[in-house]
Amino acid sequence: MAAPTSTLPNDSLQSLVGSWWTEDADKPKLCRGRLIWAFVPYVDQEPRTLTLEGRVSPDDHHHGVFKIDPLRMSQQRTAPKVPIAALPLNDDEILTIYRAKRRPALVLGGESTPAVDKALTQGMSKWQTAPTVVVAPYYGIPQSSTRGGFNQQFIDRVRLAEYPEYVWDSLPIVSKARESILMLNQVQPIGRHYNSHELTKFRLTDDALDCIDDWVEWLLTATLDSESVLTMFRQGAGAL
């Protein structure tokens, strides 16, 4: 079942492919090309760390006084001398802090990797074999009172596929920010646990997913298949 979409601009790859999003009639499953919702951290120019300054009271192991500092690679970090049980840290660990926002994201892979045999994980921390999927977030294009949006000239060039890290798209979900940019330069893992994401009923068609695969390869290797639809589109759009 084809997903409902707004009229696509003629100068977009989506209009060339034709059928870009499809809607599942049955219960959606986590799969490559699935459109999901997830809390995605902002990638700030300068990361921040949460530093424990002390306990609220000497006998309180669950409350502490913290401050937010810039995180610098050159700065030596050690575990706090007065730790609290709620946030244990080893000598080589820190607490980082990020703003995050609930955003649409595209599943690129990892949904079908086999589970590790439990016999092989004895003595290991759970996070070491926690199942994940790799996703890329979408950022809404239109400006609003809470979002700066994107420069229109920049959007026009993204839609012509000039950059390997940005993909223009029109999402089939009910949202004021339907027109969006897929940020392939912010690919990241999220947990497969149902508390880590929310499925939508929409996924990319096979042809659309092939285009995204070509786009990811372009970003990672700086090369493009000369026979790919993405290459043909870029040639027609004058990006090559």
Side-chain angles (χ1 to χ4, degrees):
M1 179 179 178
T5 58
S6 57
T7 302
L8 295 169
N10 292 329
D11 61 346
S12 67
L13 176 65
Q14 288 78 1
S15 66
L16 176 63
V17 174
S19 181
W20 189 259
W21 291 103
T22 186
E23 182 178 355
D24 288 332
D26 299 324
K27 186 177 180 180
K29 296 179 180 179
L30 194 63
C31 63
R32 277 189 1 102
R34 173 69 60 193
L35 184 62
I36 66 172
W37 290 97
F39 277 100
V40 177
Y42 288 90
V43 180
D44 290 328
Q45 185 72 16
E46 184 177 42
R48 289 166 292 177
T49 180
L50 201 61
T51 304
L52 174 64
E53 293 195 309
R55 298 175 187 161
V56 173
S57 62
D59 297 329
D60 189 344
H61 290 267
H62 296 279
H63 298 84
V65 177
F66 294 86
K67 67 176 181 177
I68 299 175
D69 290 319
L71 174 58
R72 297 185 175 94
M73 287 297 296
S74 60
Q75 188 172 350
Q76 204 66 21
R77 300 282 174 175
T78 59
K81 295 180 179 179
V82 187
I84 59 175
L87 291 172
L89 285 175
N90 296 319
D91 285 342
D92 56 351
E93 295 177 341
I94 61 171
L95 295 172
T96 55
I97 182 169
Y98 297 91
R99 288 189 305 146
K101 185 176 180 179
R102 185 177 183 267
R103 296 187 182 279
L106 182 68
V107 177
L108 298 177
E111 80 295 342
S112 59
T113 53
V116 178
D117 189 334
K118 289 185 178 180
L120 301 176
T121 64
Q122 292 183 4
M124 296 170 56
S125 298
K126 290 184 177 180
W127 67 264
Q128 292 175 305
T129 54
T132 63
V133 292
V134 179
V135 306
Y138 286 96
Y139 282 68
I141 288 176
Q143 295 182 349
S144 71
S145 58
T146 59
R147 182 177 55 244
F150 294 87
N151 179 282
Q152 186 58 51
Q153 290 181 320
F154 170 74
I155 294 302
D156 292 342
R157 297 181 69 170
V158 168
R159 195 166 56 243
L160 296 177
E162 288 196 26
Y163 308 104
E165 66 268 45
Y166 305 117
V167 183
W168 180 92
D169 206 346
S170 181
L171 302 185
I173 51 179
V174 178
S175 172
K176 294 180 181 179
R178 186 176 210 167
E179 191 178 358
S180 302
I181 289 182
L182 179 66
M183 308 283 277
L184 293 179
N185 56 351
Q186 293 190 21
V187 170
Q188 57 196 266
I190 64 168
R192 280 196 234 167
H193 191 279
Y194 60 83
N195 280 337
S196 299
H197 61 273
E198 178 184 334
L199 298 175
T200 76
K201 56 187 176 181
F202 301 105
R203 59 181 172 82
L204 292 178
T205 64
D206 291 343
D207 289 341
L209 188 54
D210 284 343
C211 290
I212 294 298
D213 286 342
D214 287 334
W215 217 306
V216 172
E217 182 178 2
W218 179 28
L219 174 64
L220 296 180
T221 68
T223 59
L224 257 178
D225 182 352
S226 61
E227 302 298 322
S228 70
V229 174
L230 178 55
T231 299
M232 294 169 55
F233 171 75
R234 297 186 74 232
Q235 290 172 337
L240 289 177

